[in-house]
Amino acid sequence: MQTFGQQLINGLSLGSIYALLALGYTMVYGIIKLINFAHGDIYMLGAFWGYYVINGLHFNFIFAMLSAMIFCALVGVLIEYFAYRPLRHSPRITALITAIGVSFLLENTMTYFFSANTRNFPQVITTVTYHVLGLHISNIQLLILGTACLLMLLLEIIIKRTKMGKAMRAVSVDPEAAQLVGINLNHTISFTFALGSAMAGAAGVLIGLYYNSIDPLMGMTPGIKAFVAAVIGGIGSVPGASVGGFLIGLLETGVQAVGLSAYKDAVVYVVLIVILLVLPAGIFGKKTKEKV
């Protein structure tokens, strides 16, 4: 039971990172039906931004994370404006290939200017381990889980309670009808990219604090796993992305706990295939009929 409880804590901490990343995927897809494969690299940029403002400007954790969220939000808006907006009426495959190209551009640019070496993320918070009922719980794990849950709650409030959130939901349902009632489509899509990218920036700082290492290619695997989490939860569903992220985190740590660390990535994709066979729209996804 102690081993199960320990892995549960570890899985929830890691899953909260995947959940924050998955939210960006699912929001963008819900608005413009685009799978933004550059999202994982925005997460990487957030981690590097946190690294430099903590080391260079001596920011504390809160200001480092907030500044990373703002920086990544701006990057997300710029990517949408220059890379995706001109292709909005192009075939979906064109936008998908562009997203992959943007991903490689960000990775190689960061590798060129900052090298591919792994950097130790500054431990701006002293690690304290608590022993509760035989479990080892660190203050870093509690901080990551609490911060992620708070951000997800704030995101839900923004979507459900604000004017821009209502505009996002309207554009998601019917972009043309939303424009007819006065909603600015470009502003709404830009805001969606900013919101999702801000979540990725926060996740980057949190993962740097958790693993104590960052590198220019760190966004590839977590980005794909977060996309898997969004699909499992139901692509386009915000609650589904959160649940999917936690499920992936729990699954990954569970596989490691039974001594199958080498297969932790493979198991994630096997579970994806099984869930899609049983629930093609994901756990929280809705079946939609498409006119031919």
Side-chain angles (χ1 to χ4, degrees), residues 22-249:
L23 288 169
Y25 277 109
T26 204
M27 284 194 299
V28 169
Y29 184 85
I31 291 289
I32 59 174
K33 302 299 181 289
L34 168 70
I35 300 172
N36 181 21
F37 280 116
H39 192 62
D41 299 295
I42 295 176
Y43 150 90
M44 174 270 294
L45 292 177
F48 269 85
W49 179 269
Y51 171 87
Y52 283 107
V53 297
I54 291 173
N55 275 341
L57 302 178
H58 307 293
F59 280 20
N60 60 24
F61 167 75
I62 295 176
F63 284 111
M65 189 179 72
L66 291 176
S67 64
M69 291 175 70
I70 294 171
F71 171 72
C72 288
L74 292 174
V75 171
V77 170
L78 289 174
I79 290 174
E80 188 277 327
Y81 183 82
F82 289 106
Y84 301 146
R85 188 175 298 183
L87 303 175
R88 192 171 294 167
H89 302 292
S90 302
R92 290 186 186 180
I93 188 64
T94 305
L96 180 63
I97 293 172
T98 301
I100 296 172
V102 172
S103 174
F104 282 118
L105 174 64
L106 293 176
E107 291 171 6
N108 286 279
T109 299
M110 290 296 292
T111 301
Y112 178 80
F113 285 106
F114 301 103
S115 81
N117 297 329
T118 300
R119 289 170 166 78
N120 292 326
F121 195 86
Q123 296 302 288
V124 69
I125 297 176
T126 303
T127 303
V128 178
T129 302
Y130 305 102
H131 302 279
V132 181
L133 300 175
L135 304 178
H136 303 284
I137 306 172
S138 71
N139 59 332
I140 302 297
Q141 289 176 313
L142 294 175
L143 177 66
I144 290 173
L145 185 57
T147 302
C149 290
L150 177 61
L151 290 175
M152 286 185 274
L153 178 62
L154 289 175
L155 177 63
E156 187 68 15
I157 292 173
I158 290 173
I159 293 174
K160 298 293 185 182
R161 303 293 182 183
T162 66
K163 184 176 180 180
M164 186 58 77
K166 293 178 181 177
M168 289 169 60
R169 286 183 282 139
V171 172
S172 177
V173 173
D174 193 327
E176 289 77 15
Q179 284 184 295
L180 290 175
V181 296
I183 293 175
N184 190 311
L185 192 62
N186 289 331
H187 289 174
T188 304
I189 293 173
S190 294
F191 181 80
T192 303
F193 269 86
L195 207 54
S197 299
M199 294 293 165
V205 175
L206 290 173
I207 204 66
L209 200 62
Y210 189 57
Y211 281 133
N212 190 28
S213 65
I214 60 173
D215 65 85
L217 301 180
M218 63 179 283
M220 292 180 63
T221 301
I224 295 174
K225 288 182 180 178
F227 171 65
V228 170
V231 174
I232 288 175
I235 193 76
S237 169
V238 172
S242 301
V243 172
F246 283 115
L247 285 177
I248 293 298

